[in-house]
Amino acid sequence: VLQNLSQTPVLRELLKEAKMPGTTVKIESPELCLLCCFSFKQEPQLIKLDQPGPLTLAMHQFVTEMQETKKGVVTPKELFAQVCKKAIRFKGYQQQDSHELLRYLLDGMRTEE
């Protein structure tokens, strides 16, 4: 899950921008309409970001480390610690489903907005 997220360009760019408080991010929807034959263009959404929370900062740090080519092994210790603070069920290193980690990670970052 974390490797896939670290290779998601839109997420990497948003995390980079989110690190700087007071940034306004423009999110554009693709020009696609599945219900009709006509394309349409939606207006981009402008979102002003506040100070990022600890989970978002840990995710930014992890994604940055994953992108560094000189790094050998990347350990998500800080990111995992922040996930455990939001979702106690992950404490204790018991096996969990990857989709649950994804859900708690993304929901946790969203609630820090």
Side-chain angles (χ1 to χ4, degrees):
V1 167
L2 294 177
Q3 287 175 336
N4 287 331
L5 289 175
S6 72
Q7 297 302 314
T8 307
V10 173
L11 179 62
R12 285 196 317 257
E13 289 303 313
L14 284 173
L15 286 170
K16 195 183 305 180
E17 292 179 20
K19 190 163 190 239
M20 298 172 277
T23 301
T24 300
V25 178
K26 181 167 74 170
I27 299 175
E28 297 187 50
S29 299
E31 294 181 15
L32 179 62
C33 177
L34 299 176
L35 300 175
C36 60
C37 299
F38 304 104
S39 290
F40 67 95
K41 181 162 176 105
Q42 292 181 334
E43 292 298 318
Q45 293 182 345
L46 297 176
I47 301 171
K48 185 169 179 161
L49 302 174
D50 293 327
Q51 178 69 32
L55 180 59
T56 304
L57 288 173
M59 184 64 181
H60 175 267
Q61 177 185 349
F62 172 76
V63 168
T64 302
E65 287 179 13
M66 286 289 288
Q67 295 303 307
E68 291 179 6
T69 56
K70 295 180 182 178
K71 278 267 189 190
V73 176
V74 177
T75 308
K77 286 182 183 179
E78 179 59 28
L79 180 58
F80 183 67
Q82 292 302 323
V83 169
C84 288
K85 288 180 182 178
K86 301 270 182 191
I88 299 170
R89 70 182 321 154
F90 288 100
K91 286 186 179 180
Y93 300 99
Q94 293 182 5
Q95 185 172 343
Q96 301 288 337
D97 291 333
S98 59
H99 72 277
E100 289 180 7
L101 171 69
L102 177 62
R103 191 180 97 216
Y104 282 106
L105 176 62
L106 295 178
D107 283 347
M109 289 192 312
R110 185 180 50 125
T111 58
E112 289 183 339
E113 293 177 350

